[in-house]
């Protein structure tokens, strides 16, 4: 009879450990170990020899397994430590950038755009989750900035600092996500170089309009965060079944917040997938089967499905009594305006990358802005490299390049490029381009031995960041008006758009101004970023109106003539700096007409931000 091995099963690492311990114990006792049973009639010498061989084999296997386990444990410990250190570095960098950008954001005044979003989040925080009665702008930010504002207001309360904190947080996230997108799956020194290039290009917003566009108020800058995060996920996860599912959900939620995601996220995904299918089926020597293109079809279908899902969700919210938005028509520019729009697009790019040296006196500041042209040039070169080597590049890289091309084309040939501040519509080009530059140029620059030049360029960007960090804090628009109104016990009144919600936010609701328009000679309630309940004369009593000179290009601001025609003779008039405060002894809400957009089928007209009033003397006190 053949001897049987203990257990009739394959030995695991634990079994070898037991055998090793038994063998060592036996050696220590000076005798062998009974590894196998002795067969009947088997000589004792043969049995002891066989047992000794089994013991040696068990010891050898246990030793091998122990060494392998030790190596695995050491490797796992090293990897865990590396992950912990990397996470710590990212956290330290993130906190440092946030502190810097909070100071930068505080240097630009809060306007009624940001104040409106803060008031909406405050309403949601107090139970009105669907924003019932609210008429928003052409974007809702319902699934992006508004939840962010709610969290901040939960901690800080209602005030203008909420806008600054949110802006700094958003831009910090964008810089970190751009660095992650640039990193890709690289290892070693290349990781640091890619991340530094991407973060460096975005490091220092330009003084003035650059800060206003990137950190002024919630706008399309924040809408880039979920899209860029999605691209990073696609890059890391690869062709897995859940990636199209996540893509559809993420794009749908982002579209609910901002229709610009159609150009930054949906169309790039659809376009890249269709091109990939065409190349795989018709341009390759060996045609791929339709089945092998499942990922591209799934991604394109998810992106298109996100458009339908977002539309349905917005309709359901509106049908349930929730908020409504004023969609903008997608129209092309008139041929005569294309040269002007192309010029505005070019200047907008310079502004986003901190390289707008126009209108600066020749000197160090202009030279510093011109130095930022290197960052823009790197983005242009990286984009051209992607187009040239399209087929052999990662999916996420093609998405970034497609997003840049689509956003730029839509802006240049649409009707939105009417001013330099409209560069916020192409804000996604900055993080997309920075990520592409880091990803495509890091290796090439290192091989060309241009790292010292990159170090000099990074130093220039750091100096630019130091300049904007040291800027003084700016008060909210109309901050000099609110104390005067409170001192004169004027706590609920009317004003133009750019003085209404911002004053309400600046005082934490102590003084409340509601936005109104002038429709000919009639004062009406506003329809842009307002809550319909604000104009209910049974709930509120507004006994004054604040007038300022109408911002350029806006013809529906209330004037003295329209105020007298609607409300009659006032009881008192005060001149407060650049403001005219007209007080009545009656509830003005009773005489208001209902606000509505212009009758023509054009985009609702929102005034450009009026310049801040100078520190004039408060009169009439």
């Amino acid at each position: 009879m053949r001897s049987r091995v203990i257990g009739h099963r394959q030995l695991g690492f634990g079994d070898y450990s037991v055998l090793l311990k038994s063998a060592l114990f036996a050696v220590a006792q000076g005798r062998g170990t009974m590894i196998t049973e002795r067969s009947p009639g088997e000589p004792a010498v043969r049995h002891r020899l066989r047992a000794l061989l089994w013991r040696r084999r068990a010891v050898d296997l246990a030793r091998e397994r122990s060494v392998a386990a030790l190596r695995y444990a050491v490797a796992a410990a090293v990897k865990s430590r590396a992950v912990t250190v990397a996470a710590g570095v990212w956290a330290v960098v993130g906190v440092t950038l946030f502190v810097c950008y909070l100071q930068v954001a505080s240097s630009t005044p809060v306007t009624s755009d940001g104040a409106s979003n803060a008031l909406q989040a405050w309403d949601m925080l107090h139970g009105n989750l669907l924003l019932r009665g609210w008429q928003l702008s052409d974007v809702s930010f319902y699934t992006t900035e508004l939840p962010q504002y709610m969290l901040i207001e939960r901690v800080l309360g209602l005030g203008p600092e909420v806008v600054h904190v949110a802006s700094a947080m958003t831009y910090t996230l964008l810089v970190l996500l751009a660095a992650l997108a640039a990193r890709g799956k690289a290892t070693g020194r290349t990781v640091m170089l890619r991340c530094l290039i991407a973060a460096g290009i975005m490091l220092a917003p330009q003084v003035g309009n650059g800060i206003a566009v990137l950190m002024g108020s919630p706008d399309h800058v924040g809408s880039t965060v979920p899209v860029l995060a999605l691209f990073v996920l696609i890059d890391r996860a690869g062709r897995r079944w859940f990636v199209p599912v996540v893509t559809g959900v993420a794009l749908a939620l982002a579209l609910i917040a901002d229709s610009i995601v159609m150009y930054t996220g949906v169309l790039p995904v659809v376009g890249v997938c269709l091109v990939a299918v065409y190349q795989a089926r018709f341009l390759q020597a060996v045609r791929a089967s339709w089945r092998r293109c499942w990922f591209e079809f799934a991604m394109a279908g998810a992106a298109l499905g996100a458009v339908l899902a977002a539309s349905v969700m917005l309709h359901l919210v509106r049908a349930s009594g929730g908020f409504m938005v004023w969609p903008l028509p997608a129209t092309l520019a008139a041929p005569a305006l294309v040269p002007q729009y192309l010029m505005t697009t070019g200047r907008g790019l310079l502004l986003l990358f901190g390289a707008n040296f126009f209108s600066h006196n020749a000197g160090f500041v202009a030279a510093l802005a011109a130095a930022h042209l290197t960052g823009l040039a790197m983005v242009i070169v990286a984009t051209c490299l992607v187009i040239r080597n399209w087929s052999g590049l990662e999916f996420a890289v093609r998405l970034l390049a497609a997003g840049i091309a689509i956003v730029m084309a839509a802006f240049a040939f649409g009707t939105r490029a009417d001013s330099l501040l409209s560069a916020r519509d192409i804000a996604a080009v900055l993080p997309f381009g920075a990520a592409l530059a880091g990803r495509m140029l890091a290796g090439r620059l290192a091989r060309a031995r241009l790292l010292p030049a990159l170090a000099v360029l990074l130093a220039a960007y750091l100096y630019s960041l130091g300049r904007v960090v040291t800027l003084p804090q700016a008060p909210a628009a109309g901050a000099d008006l609110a104390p005067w109104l409170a001192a004169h016990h004027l706590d609920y009144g009317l004003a133009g758009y750019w003085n209404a919600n911002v004053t309400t936010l600046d005082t934490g609701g102590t003084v409340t101004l509601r936005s109104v328009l002038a429709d000919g000679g009639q004062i009406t309630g506003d329809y842009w970023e307002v809550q319909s309940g604000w104009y209910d004369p049974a709930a509120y009593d507004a006994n004054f109106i604040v007038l300022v000179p109408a911002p350029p290009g806006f013809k529906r601001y209330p004037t003295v003539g329209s105020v007298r025609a609607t409300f009659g003779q006032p009881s008192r008039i005060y001149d407060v700096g650049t403001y005219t405060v007209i007080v009545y002894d009656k509830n003005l809400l009773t005489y208001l007409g209902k606000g509505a957009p212009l009758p023509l089928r054009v985009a609702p007209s929102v005034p450009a931000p009026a310049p801040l009033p100078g520190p004039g003397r408060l009169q009439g006190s």
Side-chain angles (χ1 to χ4, degrees):
M1 179 183 297
R2 298 182 59 187
S3 60
R4 59 184 178 85
V5 181
I6 297 176
H8 289 285
R9 61 183 174 84
Q10 185 178 3
L11 297 177
F13 177 72
D15 300 316
Y16 289 118
S17 299
V18 173
L19 292 175
L20 176 60
K21 292 178 181 178
S22 301
L24 293 175
F25 177 78
V27 171
Q29 296 297 323
R31 58 181 176 83
T33 305
M34 297 299 294
I35 304 298
T36 61
E37 297 180 359
R38 181 177 179 182
S39 303
E42 181 182 19
V45 175
R46 180 179 178 182
H47 170 68
R48 294 188 64 180
L49 179 60
R50 187 158 53 84
L52 180 61
L53 291 175
W54 272 104
R55 184 183 67 189
R56 293 190 62 180
R57 181 183 178 188
V59 171
D60 291 341
L61 289 175
R63 184 183 296 114
E64 293 175 2
R65 289 294 184 94
S66 298
V67 172
L70 179 61
R71 290 177 177 173
Y72 177 80
V74 171
V78 171
K79 183 177 180 180
S80 176
R81 182 178 179 83
V83 171
T84 303
V85 172
V89 170
W90 282 95
V92 170
V93 171
V95 172
T96 303
L97 289 176
F98 172 76
V99 172
C100 293
Y101 292 143
L102 179 58
Q103 180 63 33
V104 175
S106 300
S107 68
T108 187
V110 176
T111 66
S112 279
D113 281 345
S116 299
N117 297 125
L119 294 177
Q120 292 154 19
W122 188 254
D123 204 7
M124 293 176 65
L125 192 63
H126 289 78
N128 188 7
L129 294 180
L130 291 181
L131 291 176
R132 298 181 185 276
W134 275 91
Q135 299 179 70
L136 308 183
S137 62
D138 57 318
V139 289
S140 71
F141 302 121
Y142 187 68
T143 52
T144 51
E145 274 94 339
L146 291 190
Q148 177 192 26
Y149 273 48
M150 290 173 64
L151 294 176
I152 297 173
E153 289 174 350
R154 182 80 177 183
V155 177
L156 301 180
L158 184 65
E161 64 277 359
V162 172
V163 180
H164 294 318
V165 172
S167 298
M169 186 184 301
T170 296
Y171 197 73
T172 301
L173 287 174
L174 266 186
V175 174
L176 296 179
L177 285 172
L180 284 174
R183 174 186 176 180
K185 299 179 181 178
T187 57
R189 189 179 64 172
T190 306
V191 172
M192 180 177 295
L193 187 56
R194 286 184 175 187
C195 293
L196 283 177
I197 291 175
I201 290 175
M202 298 183 61
L203 191 61
Q206 190 163 10
V207 177
N209 287 334
I211 299 176
V213 167
L214 294 173
M215 296 187 191
S217 298
D219 219 313
H220 306 306
V221 176
S223 303
T224 309
V225 171
V227 176
L228 191 54
L230 175 63
F231 289 175
V232 171
L233 173 65
I234 293 172
D235 191 34
R236 297 291 191 275
R239 298 171 66 90
R240 299 185 182 180
W241 66 268
F242 62 85
V243 173
V245 177
V246 175
T247 298
V249 173
L251 290 179
L253 292 175
L255 278 169
I256 292 173
D258 191 351
S259 59
I260 199 73
V261 177
M262 176 69 72
Y263 304 98
T264 61
V266 174
L267 292 181
V269 170
V270 174
V272 169
C273 289
L274 293 181
V275 171
V277 171
Y278 177 78
Q279 290 178 329
R281 285 288 300 170
F282 303 108
L283 298 184
Q284 292 183 359
V286 179
R287 292 187 178 182
S289 63
W290 293 111
R291 186 173 182 180
R292 295 195 62 181
C293 299
W294 70 269
F295 182 76
E296 287 74 14
F297 283 119
M299 290 290 289
L304 294 175
V307 179
L308 177 61
S311 177
V312 171
M313 289 300 298
L314 287 173
H315 176 75
L316 290 177
V317 169
R318 181 59 183 157
S320 301
F323 65 85
M324 67 168 294
V325 295
W326 299 98
L328 294 179
T331 56
L332 295 176
L337 295 177
V338 170
Q340 174 188 341
Y341 288 170
L342 289 175
M343 179 64 71
T344 303
T345 302
R347 292 193 63 191
L349 273 180
L350 294 176
L351 181 67
L352 290 177
F353 285 87
N356 185 28
F357 54 86
F358 295 106
S359 302
H360 285 286
N361 295 327
F364 179 73
V365 175
L368 195 62
H372 285 228
L373 281 172
T374 307
L376 178 57
M378 292 172 66
V379 171
I380 295 174
V381 171
T383 305
C384 293
L385 287 174
V386 173
I387 296 174
R388 179 181 178 183
N389 305 284
W390 184 270
S391 300
L393 296 174
E394 297 92 338
F395 191 79
V397 173
R398 288 177 281 168
L399 287 177
L400 292 170
I404 292 175
I406 292 172
V407 168
M408 292 298 299
F411 185 71
F413 297 101
T415 57
R416 300 281 290 176
D418 53 358
S419 69
L420 192 57
L421 291 178
S422 298
R424 59 173 60 94
D425 288 357
I426 56 173
V429 173
L430 176 60
F432 286 9
L436 272 188
R439 190 142 180 172
M440 298 299 297
L441 300 181
R444 289 176 171 85
L445 293 174
R447 289 190 294 271
R449 299 182 179 180
L450 291 176
L451 296 186
L454 279 180
V456 173
L457 183 62
L458 180 60
Y461 274 94
L462 287 172
Y463 182 82
S464 299
L465 178 62
R467 290 186 66 248
V468 294
V469 166
T470 57
L471 292 173
Q473 292 188 1
D480 53 346
L481 173 65
W484 188 92
L485 293 175
H488 287 73
H489 307 289
L490 299 173
D491 55 11
Y492 202 98
L494 309 176
Y497 177 81
W498 292 110
N499 302 106
N501 287 347
V502 67
T503 302
T504 304
L505 178 69
D506 190 41
T507 63
T510 304
V511 174
T512 302
L513 295 183
R514 300 311 186 192
S515 177
V516 292
L517 298 171
D519 190 359
Q522 172 69 38
I523 301 296
T524 70
D526 208 338
Y527 62 91
W528 192 270
E529 302 281 29
V530 296
Q531 218 272 359
S532 58
W534 292 348
Y535 304 99
D536 184 2
Y540 301 102
D541 183 5
N543 65 336
F544 68 95
I545 183 170
V546 177
L547 301 182
V548 296
F554 191 71
K555 300 179 180 180
R556 303 186 71 185
Y557 239 54
T559 62
V560 174
S562 59
V563 168
R564 288 181 179 271
T566 303
F567 304 125
Q569 185 68 23
S571 60
R572 298 181 300 280
I573 299 178
Y574 299 97
D575 291 326
V576 186
T578 58
Y579 306 98
T580 300
V581 182
I582 304 177
V583 183
Y584 288 83
D585 293 328
K586 55 187 176 182
N587 189 355
L588 305 183
L589 299 179
T590 307
Y591 303 88
L592 283 182
K594 184 177 180 180
L598 295 173
L600 297 177
R601 297 181 60 85
V602 297
S605 177
V606 180
L612 287 177
R617 181 174 60 88
L618 298 182
Q619 301 175 358
S621 56

